[in-house]
Amino acid sequence: MERIGIWFFAAVVVCSTGAKAQLTMQMTNGWSFTFAGNVNAFGIYTNGSVDTAGTVEGGLVAREKVSRIRTGLLPAFATFEAKGQEMGMDLAVHFGFAPQINSPNVHDVFGAQIDMRQVYVTIGGGWGQVLAGRELGIYQRQNILNDATLFGAGPTGGGVGGGTTLGRIGFGYIYPNFNAQLTYSTPASSPVAFSIGLFDPSVIVGEATTYSVTQTPRVEAELSYTLPFGSSGAGGKPADKLLLWVNGAYQHADSSLDTGPSVDAEGGGAGVRVEVAGLALVGSGYYARGFGTTLMFGIPGSGFKQAVDATGKERDSWGYIAQASYALPATSWSLGGSWGESRMMETDADKATAGDPLVQANSAAIVFLTYQWSKSLKQVFEGTYAQSRAFSGAKTKSYQGTVGVMVFF
């Protein structure tokens, strides 16, 4: 009863003061409990058409004219975290529920999708931190975290039914997703940060074979460097800083337990973000073999099977983003734009295929405008041109307009 009373008192104090954007409660055992999250909703109109007839295998731009009211790239989040110190160690547990508001073109949807994205424990100290559980992957995570469409919708607001939109996933980087992992990270106080993790290995889907025997975990790693310079952020001015990162991943998979063929997936990525006087410039890119496009390694039974060709040869892929944004001085407005694409490369077997339908590139140009109504309320406007084209010359294109609201607490 004593602990319940203290929880209730802390909740009343935090909610009544309104001074914090999250609920934090102190417990008698020295631990603290935090609740935070966001809710967002976007209205989207997409006009997609066929520019050149033909199939685009792995294309993300659909022929459609559709209006949607849905969740954007960032799902709604309800996060619960408890933190404490015991025997000189910083301990924490984290749960992240990610529901979406979508009704994927069906009137009667009984219960929105709830994605249990995060379930992990962290153990830390002066030596760094170990994370065990389900959390965002390391390889290409900075690519998505520095993508402006993380707070928007991106090109696939109409074409993707359930779940979130894709933002620039498949239009500049491959989705790292949330995966089971055991990851070590160096102390956050250092400007140089390094993370390396062992991940639950994934099936690698090819055109003719699925490589489902995974005897060893996947390895992912990232090295980053943060350098503050110029303005320190005093007086309400934005702080100037430079962020550099490189990351990579490797996984092996076999087609059978005996003597069947095997594949090796390996990839690297890098990027830079520079922030000066409200201007933010971002450039990122990746090169991979055996990863496919859009979703890493593909999904059995789906159209995402570009990682390996019909002969068992890993396909190469690469992509990039160039992005600029500017926060207008003495206002709550910011604006910007970006161009990016994800590209596949043909193997020798692909080149021998007449009229190869394999996607050559998913490309998109995006302009965005945001208004920060308050500390918690953000409004977002987007305009997007996107296209998917195959090596055969087949091409689809779309124009999309988006307006949305996001509340963070």
Side-chain angles (χ1 to χ4, degrees):
M1 289 299 294
E2 178 187 7
R3 179 173 299 180
I4 294 174
I6 291 177
W7 275 50
F8 178 79
F9 175 76
V12 170
V13 170
V14 172
C15 292
S16 62
T17 60
K20 297 183 179 180
Q22 62 185 16
L23 172 66
T24 301
M25 296 179 286
Q26 192 68 36
M27 295 178 282
T28 55
N29 63 358
W31 283 56
S32 62
F33 175 83
T34 301
F35 173 57
N38 88 89
V39 175
N40 68 80
F42 288 85
I44 301 169
Y45 177 73
T46 305
N47 185 342
S49 60
V50 174
D51 187 78
T52 305
T55 301
V56 186
E57 292 184 357
L60 297 176
V61 178
R63 179 182 179 272
E64 60 184 355
K65 292 185 178 181
V66 61
S67 295
R68 302 293 310 281
I69 297 176
R70 57 167 305 148
T71 299
L73 171 57
L74 184 69
F77 252 114
T79 61
F80 302 85
E81 187 168 74
K83 294 181 178 180
Q85 285 190 330
E86 295 181 2
M87 299 184 66
M89 296 182 293
D90 298 318
L91 305 178
V93 295
H94 185 101
F95 298 87
F97 298 84
Q100 290 109 54
I101 69 171
N102 307 5
S103 297
N105 303 318
V106 179
H107 180 270
D108 297 305
V109 178
F110 301 102
Q113 175 177 330
I114 299 178
D115 185 354
M116 191 68 200
R117 295 199 172 195
Q118 297 172 309
V119 184
Y120 63 80
V121 57
T122 59
I123 305 168
W127 45 268
Q129 177 183 272
V130 171
L131 181 150
R134 182 177 179 85
E135 171 62 314
L136 186 66
I138 297 175
Y139 178 50
Q140 297 197 44
R141 69 179 176 185
Q142 290 293 350
N143 301 51
I144 188 172
L145 293 177
N146 286 280
D147 170 19
T149 66
L150 184 62
F151 301 100
T156 57
V160 178
T164 69
T165 65
L166 293 180
R168 276 203 171 278
I169 298 168
F171 293 90
Y173 53 86
I174 304 175
Y175 185 36
N177 216 323
F178 291 77
N179 292 282
Q181 59 187 276
L182 180 62
T183 294
Y184 167 76
S185 299
T186 55
S189 57
S190 172
V192 178
F194 177 70
S195 296
I196 185 168
L198 299 179
F199 285 73
D200 190 50
S202 304
V203 168
I204 299 177
V205 182
E207 293 282 354
T209 304
T210 296
Y211 301 85
S212 57
V213 179
T214 52
Q215 301 182 59
T216 55
R218 180 171 64 259
V219 179
E220 299 186 16
E222 178 184 83
L223 178 67
S224 65
Y225 175 65
T226 303
L227 174 66
F229 66 94
S231 172
S232 62
K237 296 181 179 180
D240 299 336
K241 66 179 180 178
L242 169 69
L243 170 65
L244 301 169
W245 72 86
V246 294
N247 50 48
Y250 171 79
Q251 183 181 305
H252 177 86
D254 299 289
S255 60
S256 72
L257 289 173
D258 301 316
T259 59
S262 62
V263 293
D264 292 290
E266 50 202 7
V272 56
R273 181 184 182 97
V274 181
E275 299 180 36
V276 181
L279 175 66
L281 302 175
V282 177
S284 68
Y286 74 93
Y287 195 100
R289 174 170 296 174
F291 275 75
T293 183
T294 305
L295 304 176
M296 288 188 186
F297 312 118
I299 300 175
S302 76
F304 295 103
K305 53 181 181 179
Q306 292 80 37
V308 182
D309 73 9
T311 68
K313 176 68 174 177
E314 301 93 337
R315 288 194 177 108
D316 291 346
S317 61
W318 59 282
Y320 63 90
I321 296 172
Q323 175 182 288
S325 61
Y326 181 62
L328 299 177
T331 75
S332 298
W333 290 98
S334 63
L335 55 85
S338 63
W339 167 262
E341 57 183 357
S342 292
R343 303 178 66 97
M344 294 297 300
M345 298 179 66
E346 290 181 301
T347 62
D348 291 340
D350 293 330
K351 294 175 182 177
T353 302
D356 185 10
L358 175 69
V359 61
Q360 182 180 27
N362 288 311
S363 312
I366 303 172
V367 293
F368 48 87
L369 180 67
T370 66
Y371 186 77
Q372 195 74 38
W373 286 95
S374 68
K375 179 179 179 180
S376 301
L377 175 61
K378 178 193 293 285
Q379 187 159 15
V380 181
F381 304 89
E382 278 185 355
T384 300
Y385 170 76
Q387 63 180 29
S388 295
R389 63 183 184 274
F391 284 98
S392 65
K395 178 182 173 182
T396 55
K397 63 182 181 181
S398 73
Y399 299 90
Q400 181 172 286
T402 300
V403 58
V405 292
M406 312 182 78
V407 173
F408 296 85
F409 62 91

